[in-house]
Amino acid sequence: MAEFMTKATQRPAGTQPAASRPGREAAPPAEPLPRRPVGGRAEYPAGTPDWHDAAVILEGARASFEPELRAAVASLPASMRRIARYHFGWEHADGTLATGHAGKAIRPALVLVAAAALGGTRARQASARAAAAVELVHNFTLLHDDVMDRDATRRHRPTAWTVFGDADAILAGDALQALALRLLAEDPHPASGAAAARLAACVVELCAGQQADTALERRAPTEVTLEEVLAMAEAKTGALLGCACAVGALYAGAAEEDVAALDAFGRQAGLAFQLIDDVIGIWGDPDRTGKPAGADLAVRKKSLPVVAALTSGTSAAAELAELYAKPYEEGEADRTVLAVERAGGRDWAQAQAADRMARALDELARAVPDPAAAGGLLALSEFVTRRTS
């Protein structure tokens, strides 16, 4: 964060601070930050979270957008509503109430803190419906991805398709995407139309990224390049994080250049997120991730650390290519993990994640030069790159 503060105050000669650019109103003065009570739930005067505590931001974000999310899901036909409520962790498979893990809510939180960074508390409050729309799109992708990847576990319990079947899980995902666009279509906010167009374009990019992912999985291990996998990861993961930040900026009435800068910030942070996610997928603790250890390696997934290892030109890369060229055999997980690590896959992914975050902070400094105003975005970006699950 110290590096960001330095970069944020050193703008290139001849450029204007963001608040003084044409078409951009200065953000309201920073509001007093609340103290978090020891051992208790945080309080948010005037709806303002502690900008420097990611856990508090995420908790406050959920309190802001979840009523919109639950109301949208409640409008679904009963058959799809049941699947959606199960997927979100609100119900068990038999329809009884549950208090399960509904995910970290990073994407809707980005909408809210981006709006706050550029427009203050009122913009953040006005963007709650847009944040819910982004969360609906994210969960549409999860429902579909789980079917395509045949993932049996998500958020520490069986995935929706394993409980309700492929067709019903896919249809529920389709319904969530439609709900997202309906939320924005019905939102009277002047930015809702631009936000809907941006989110729809993002869905197309997400689908292209998923198609690229499945196509890469059909190719031989030695025929996949790092450039291809990085482009796929940006489309699958970076695009929605960038869209979330851009939507928040739109709801703050930000200038076009600042919307673009926040989109770029989110994309680069999203790539860092995916790199760390891939590292966790191989070396993470199953008790924390909710997924079996080495699951991605067992299905021969060409994640970023794996492809970095495969293209390293080392003897370990040759060993890994040999392992990946044949179906997984029981007991070879440790050998595969070691081959990825010896070929430099883990080190490359961690270094690349740090580089992508540096690029993200450069983009953020362009749109929000005041580190205090950018505090929420900084906290969330640090959170996603330092997580362990």
Side-chain angles (χ1 to χ4, degrees):
M1 288 190 183
E3 290 183 0
F4 172 79
M5 292 180 184
T6 301
K7 293 174 183 175
T9 56
Q10 296 177 349
R11 305 190 63 81
T15 62
Q16 297 173 294
S20 64
R21 294 183 202 142
R24 164 76 180 275
E25 295 182 1
E31 299 156 6
L33 298 179
R35 292 182 178 274
R36 190 176 192 182
V38 177
R41 183 181 177 86
E43 298 296 331
Y44 306 100
T48 304
D50 179 347
W51 294 124
H52 303 288
D53 186 330
V56 176
I57 291 169
L58 292 170
E59 183 182 357
R62 186 171 293 283
S64 295
F65 78 83
E66 192 162 277
E68 296 279 1
L69 181 68
R70 285 180 178 266
V73 170
S75 72
L76 288 172
S79 57
M80 284 182 286
R81 182 170 66 242
R82 179 185 174 193
I83 299 167
R85 290 183 62 81
Y86 172 83
H87 171 76
F88 280 112
W90 303 337
E91 288 183 0
H92 297 295
D94 62 3
T96 57
L97 291 180
T99 56
H101 193 346
K104 298 178 181 66
I106 291 166
R107 291 156 188 83
L110 285 171
V111 175
L112 295 163
V113 296
L118 290 167
T121 300
R122 287 186 181 178
R124 185 191 67 77
Q125 292 171 335
S127 65
R129 187 176 295 185
V134 167
E135 182 71 347
L136 285 166
V137 164
H138 174 53
N139 282 276
F140 137 70
T141 68
L142 296 183
L143 282 162
H144 282 204
D145 286 0
D146 285 343
V147 174
M148 286 183 273
D149 297 341
R150 311 314 286 172
D151 284 335
T153 305
R154 180 173 293 281
R155 298 168 182 163
H156 303 275
R157 63 179 188 161
T159 46
W161 71 267
T162 66
V163 176
F164 301 100
D166 290 5
D168 283 355
I170 291 169
L171 291 169
D174 293 340
L176 294 190
Q177 181 194 168
L179 276 182
L181 295 177
R182 193 187 80 189
L183 277 183
L184 293 174
E186 294 176 350
D187 191 350
H189 194 283
S192 62
R198 199 169 197 105
L199 190 58
C202 180
V203 168
V204 173
E205 188 173 359
L206 291 169
C207 292
Q210 179 64 14
Q211 191 279 330
D213 190 17
T214 56
L216 290 174
E217 293 307 313
R218 294 193 294 267
R219 286 162 55 182
T222 55
E223 295 176 358
V224 177
T225 68
L226 263 178
E227 290 74 18
E228 289 176 308
V229 181
L230 283 167
M232 176 272 293
E234 180 177 347
K236 275 195 64 174
T237 304
L240 188 54
L241 270 74
C243 181
C245 295
V247 166
L250 287 170
Y251 270 68
E256 184 177 339
E257 62 189 273
D258 294 330
V259 175
L262 279 192
D263 184 284
F265 160 75
R267 283 175 178 270
Q268 293 297 332
L271 271 174
F273 178 99
Q274 187 59 57
L275 285 153
I276 297 302
D277 194 64
D278 286 352
V279 168
I280 292 169
I282 298 174
W283 291 279
D285 180 356
D287 290 338
R288 295 179 65 89
T289 65
K291 293 185 176 182
D296 288 350
L297 297 178
V299 298
R300 301 313 194 208
K301 188 170 182 62
K302 297 180 183 73
S303 63
L304 286 159
V306 167
V307 175
L310 286 167
T311 57
S312 66
T314 63
S315 58
E319 180 186 0
L320 181 62
E322 183 181 339
L323 286 166
Y324 256 56
K326 62 182 183 180
Y328 174 78
E329 296 178 5
E330 196 68 33
E332 70 177 19
D334 289 346
R335 181 186 171 195
T336 309
V337 170
L338 184 59
V340 176
E341 190 151 8
R342 285 176 49 232
R346 184 176 191 172
D347 289 343
W348 176 88
Q350 291 174 329
Q352 186 71 198
D355 177 67
R356 295 293 174 169
M357 276 312 306
R359 299 187 199 187
L361 296 185
D362 283 343
E363 297 291 349
L364 180 57
R366 291 187 180 93
V368 193
D370 177 8
L377 291 166
L378 284 166
L380 289 179
S381 64
E382 183 178 8
F383 173 79
V384 300
T385 54
R386 294 194 177 188
R387 65 200 179 91
T388 58
S389 64

